[in-house]
Amino acid sequence: MTQTSPHRQKIQRRPVHGVLLLDKPLGLSSNQALQKAKWLLRADKAGHTGTLDPLATGVLPLCFGAATKFSQLQLDADKTYEAVLLLGQKTSTADAEGEVIETRPVPTITPELLAEMTRRFTGPLAQVPPMYSALKKDGKALYEYARKGEEVEREARHINIYKLNMAPAHDPRAQAAIKIVVSCSKGTYIRTLGEDIGEAIGCGAHLGSLRRLETGGYTDGQCVSLPSLEAMSEAEREACLLPVQSLVAAYPAVTLGADDAGRFLSGLRRRGNAGQWGPDAALVQVFGTDPAAFLGSAHVTADELIPGRLLSPIEIQDMLAARRPVSPVSSSPAASAAMA
């Protein structure tokens, strides 16, 4: 008798609020990984914070419930990656999943050459997005054109490589290989960076592996794997969730009394005394005291606290009922993890 796959069984969804730091496995798309985690938590609302290719592994923050309101902050966050560049061959996709389209001899990879490449590719750069990407052109993703063998014009994007480390590596798939660790701004394509480095060396290159080590303060050391998540009880899975406010932990915190909190949640600006809300700030995390609860985000201008993304009363009640931590988080997401 054929059994129904557990992922096809009807499950009862429920409100779940928080951030799950998933170590995305090789071979799964970001959405496939999200759907598996969503099913395991029985969550009724979830989203990820920026796509990792199936070839890539590493930090993939998954936002559940109220956390989805703040996911854009992670999309805009700086990131750190570790990659292996396979030298001597270019592929159709700029990574190991594509077909080899060009082969060239590889020069000797000296420390001086790596130092030169490091200098050349550190700092502000203009980068043309790859055809195999989810960027849209005339309403269609670029990869849709690429799969039909079409190439369309793309505008260069301005990115910033804050830090780049390069070292020789061994990989049986290539004549020579380089391991790179890259700290970069949003919108950086590591596949394109690797291909550009290969061109600058003169031999061509493609990405052999890619791992995201950090995004917006979340690190791979905080992540949980899908097999580990599957082996847990539902309560243990919930304990892996970081609080919603971990998404804004890097910003100043403002705490409101009961009257101000109620008006703030209604979308009303709160006028404070000089310096009451702190200096002008593009984003602050806002908390109430009665009950102690995370209320949302705001910005401060001329002693006015102006609401941004707000939690609903139902979301706040759900989070209080689940006993998620609600105190201001002013250090790092790692500190939030310790509180969870």
Side-chain angles (χ1 to χ4, degrees):
M1 181 176 178
T2 302
Q3 292 185 343
T4 302
S5 166
H7 291 279
R8 295 181 182 273
Q9 293 175 3
K10 185 72 173 178
I11 62 170
Q12 185 175 357
R13 301 285 183 184
R14 64 200 177 102
V16 175
H17 304 282
V19 181
L20 179 71
L21 299 184
L22 185 70
D23 190 337
K24 191 193 82 63
L26 186 69
L28 286 187
S29 70
S30 294
N31 188 57
Q32 287 171 327
L34 169 69
Q35 295 308 319
K36 285 179 179 287
K38 183 179 178 182
W39 186 89
L40 288 168
L41 282 162
R42 296 193 296 118
D44 58 10
K45 185 179 182 182
H48 61 70
T49 57
T51 302
L52 274 178
D53 293 340
L55 174 73
T57 64
V59 188
L60 182 65
L62 303 180
C63 294
F64 293 90
T68 60
K69 295 180 176 181
F70 306 92
S71 60
Q72 184 64 41
L73 294 170
Q74 275 297 312
L75 290 172
D76 295 339
D78 296 335
K79 298 169 175 64
T80 300
Y81 296 92
E82 181 181 87
V84 172
L85 307 185
L86 304 181
L87 303 180
Q89 291 183 327
K90 290 182 65 174
T91 70
S92 57
T93 58
D95 61 28
E97 295 187 319
E99 297 179 0
V100 175
I101 57 175
E102 187 179 349
T103 300
R104 283 183 268 173
V106 180
T108 302
I109 306 301
T110 64
E112 292 76 18
L113 177 60
L114 292 182
E116 179 188 345
M117 291 299 106
T118 300
R119 287 192 297 270
R120 183 167 175 175
F121 288 96
T122 301
L125 299 175
Q127 188 182 74
V128 177
M131 281 300 301
Y132 278 90
S133 66
L135 288 178
K136 296 290 182 68
K137 174 78 171 181
D138 298 329
K140 289 172 59 177
L142 289 179
Y143 65 76
E144 295 182 59
Y145 294 100
R147 287 171 180 169
K148 295 179 181 178
E150 301 175 20
E151 182 154 345
V152 298
E153 187 175 346
R154 291 99 69 203
E155 289 187 9
R157 304 170 75 179
H158 296 288
I159 61 166
N160 205 325
I161 305 298
Y162 305 117
K163 188 175 182 181
L164 175 61
N165 292 324
M166 305 178 71
H170 173 73
D171 194 295
R173 296 172 292 177
Q175 304 173 51
I178 297 172
K179 184 174 81 169
I180 65 174
V181 179
V182 187
S183 295
C184 56
S185 63
K186 70 170 183 176
T188 301
Y189 286 93
I190 306 301
R191 280 180 293 148
T192 300
L193 177 65
E195 198 169 50
D196 290 346
I197 290 172
E199 286 302 310
I201 292 174
C203 59
H206 65 277
L207 220 61
S209 64
L210 177 65
R211 181 170 179 79
R212 186 190 281 166
L213 302 178
E214 183 268 340
T215 175
Y218 295 129
T219 68
D220 61 345
Q222 297 172 260
C223 291
V224 61
S225 69
L226 271 178
S228 295
L229 207 62
E230 289 170 341
M232 294 177 186
S233 67
E234 192 167 86
E236 289 171 330
R237 292 167 189 157
E238 284 189 45
C240 291
L241 292 172
L242 303 186
V244 172
Q245 64 266 30
S246 70
L247 289 163
V248 292
Y251 300 92
V254 170
T255 302
L256 301 177
D259 289 343
D260 277 329
R263 291 179 173 87
F264 175 80
L265 280 177
S266 298
L268 298 177
R269 301 182 178 204
R270 309 313 303 140
R271 168 66 67 179
N273 298 322
Q276 182 175 349
W277 314 128
D280 286 1
L283 194 147
V284 296
Q285 46 180 329
V286 183
F287 295 83
T289 56
D290 187 20
F294 175 59
L295 308 180
S297 65
H299 66 275
V300 177
T301 302
D303 294 315
E304 270 198 319
L305 185 69
I306 303 168
R309 296 281 186 176
L310 302 178
L311 273 64
S312 71
I314 291 177
E315 289 170 337
I316 293 172
Q317 289 172 11
D318 288 341
M319 291 165 65
L320 290 173
R323 296 184 180 179
R324 303 301 302 160
V326 295
S327 58
V329 181
S330 58
S331 52
S332 67
S336 303
M339 294 169 59

